[in-house]
Every structure is written in structure tokens, then in C-alpha cells.
Amino acid sequence: MTRSAPHEIVLVAYPAAQQAALHGMADLFAVADEQARTHLDRNGPLLRVTTIMESPLPVTAPAVIIIPPALAGSPAPETMAGLLAWVRTCHEGGTIVAAVCAGTFLLAATGVLDGRPATTHWRSAERLRALHPTIRVDPDRLLVDDGDILTVAGVMSWPDLGLRLIEKLLGPMVMAETARDLLIDPPRRDQRHYRQFVPVLTHGDRAILTVQHWLRTDAAREASVAEMVRISGLEERTFLRHFRKATGIAPREYAQHLRVERARDLLETTVLPLERIAWEAGYQDASAFRKLFLRLTGLSPAEYRERFIVRSAS
């Protein structure tokens, strides 16, 4: 057997940090350590997990620092200035830093994410962009691995982060054995599978709001941009400019998102055939609809139904 110094993993237990994530990741790394000793023929621990508060901070920089999620939102960064400065210093010295969901906002406050890709929960993506415009926020991805910085999206996506870090530190075999032992999927999922389309309705543009409400009606199931222009009462160029300013996307893309949301609901709650669902969503061509659905959700309609259908208890 061979002996090597263990990788130090620090979990930051800031105020409001989710306890399930803190304890769950500690357990996940403990299982990985056991798997590594078995499969890599090592003597002694390969991972050592430490949970820290705001002080005292470790003198030696660890291999990994993880900022967990929070159920009630992360605290204001200025209340944790010392800890966040320590995170930045450790990263500059070679430490891998990672964050889950709301923890990404604290990591962003250190400045290490400036100009880098990152993800957070899809509901919080626009707020993260507004607070830190240089970060390349990708709300479609559940996990963004940028080498020395990792971010994951939802409160319960910490297993994805843990498994990816196990893969980095101990190799793919140990990661796979850990996932198999705990009956969890390896980190290959996509946040698009879960993200809902939530239209912006608070912009104050009455003409555009009229069109948005109309697009929810049966009469607008196959609506064209020309029909939207007519409903708005605006000139076409004015309408297109106002619509994008109010909603953040073009009218055609907006309508596509609404149609896919309608299809998702039908796939989850009915057993209607795909051709009927495509028609109900406003598409005569089921093949074209299938391609659009795959592009926006990351799953085919059949895969989406298999994963998310609400099955009868009987």
C-alpha cells in the first residue's frame, strides 16, 4: 500500500448555510474516501473534510473550498469580508473554489468569478447578472466546471458538485463507485430539464402586456409576429423594439417558450400522443416541434415524459 497526504476540503458554514448540504457533502466525501482506499490500494485517508465558520480561518490553504447553498438566501457579503478575502487569497494560491446555488453570490463577491462562466438557480440568474455583469452566467447548465472554479445551480445539486470534485481529486473510477454505492446519478444533468419559463410582466409597457396576455389564450396558439403587431396597435419596428426591451427576448422566441411550457404541462399530466401535444402547443409539424423541444429543454419529448410524468397512485 502507498501513503499520501490527504486532500483538505473546507466547507464554509456561514450563517443560513443549508445544514443538509454541509452534512451531506461530508458524508459523500467520507464514502468516496472509503472507496478510494479500496480501489486505489491506499493506506490512510485521501480526503479530509473540515467545516469552518467565519473565524478562526485555517492558516494553510486547503485543496478545495466549498460555499454551500442557503434556504433563506445568502448573507450580505460585507458581513463576511474577512472570510471572503481569505477565499480569494486561497484561490490565488491554487485552491479550487466551488459554490452551490445562493453560495455563488458570495463567491462572486470575492471577485474570482469576474470574466468567468458560472451558474446558479435559474430563478436567480438575472439577479446575479445584474449584480456582477462581467460574469458569464449560464442558467441552462446545472454544473459549470471551469477548472479551478466550479458552480452548481440548485439547492439540492450539491451531490453533483461533490461527485465532480471526487472525480477531480481521486479519479473517475472512485467517483463512479461512490455514485453507485449511494445510488445517485453522476453529474451529467442539465438545468434546462427543470427550468420554467417565467415571463416578465412588471415592465409597465401596456401595449406589450396586452400582447403577452393574449398569447396565453387559445386564439393565439399559432400566433405569428404579424398578429402580435396587430394586437399591440404599434408599428412593427416599434413593437419589435418595445417587446425586446420589455421581455428581454424577441417575440418569436417568447412564443416558442410559451408553447414548450404548454407541451411540458401536457407531457407531465396526460398520455396524449406527441402529435396531439404538438398540435395543442401550436405546431402542425410534430418533427419540427420535437427539435424545438429538445433545443429548449435538453430532452426529447419522450425523455421528458419518462422523467417527469405525474404517475397515478393507483
Side-chain angles (χ1 to χ4, degrees), residues 87-114:
V87 171
R88 181 181 180 89
T89 298
C90 289
H91 177 257
E92 290 172 348
T95 296
I96 295 172
V97 292
V100 183
C101 195
T104 301
F105 285 82
L106 291 176
L107 186 59
T110 69
V112 302
L113 279 174
D114 291 351

Side-chain angles (χ1 to χ4, degrees), residues 180-194:
R180 184 177 295 114
D181 191 33
L182 295 174
L183 302 181
I184 54 179
D185 292 333
R188 297 290 185 266
R189 296 179 292 153
D190 191 324
Q191 194 171 189
R192 285 180 298 171
H193 307 343
Y194 309 94

Side-chain angles (χ1 to χ4, degrees), residues 80 145 149 232 242 276-278 288:
M80 304 173 57
D145 181 349
I149 301 177
S232 75
H242 280 223
R276 175 63 183 276
I277 288 177

Side-chain angles (χ1 to χ4, degrees), residues 14 67-70 73-78 80 84 87 98-114 118-133 135 137 150-153:
Y14 61 88
I67 304 178
S74 58
E78 56 269 22
M80 304 173 57
L84 296 181
V87 171
V100 183
C101 195
T104 301
F105 285 82
L106 291 176
L107 186 59
T110 69
V112 302
L113 279 174
D114 291 351
T119 190
T120 188
H121 193 283
W122 56 269
R123 291 188 189 276
S124 303
E126 288 305 319
R127 185 163 66 92
L128 183 62
R129 282 196 185 102
L131 289 172
H132 303 279
I135 297 175
V137 182
L150 294 87
T151 52
V152 287

Side-chain angles (χ1 to χ4, degrees), residues 2 192 257:
T2 59
R192 285 180 298 171
H257 278 289

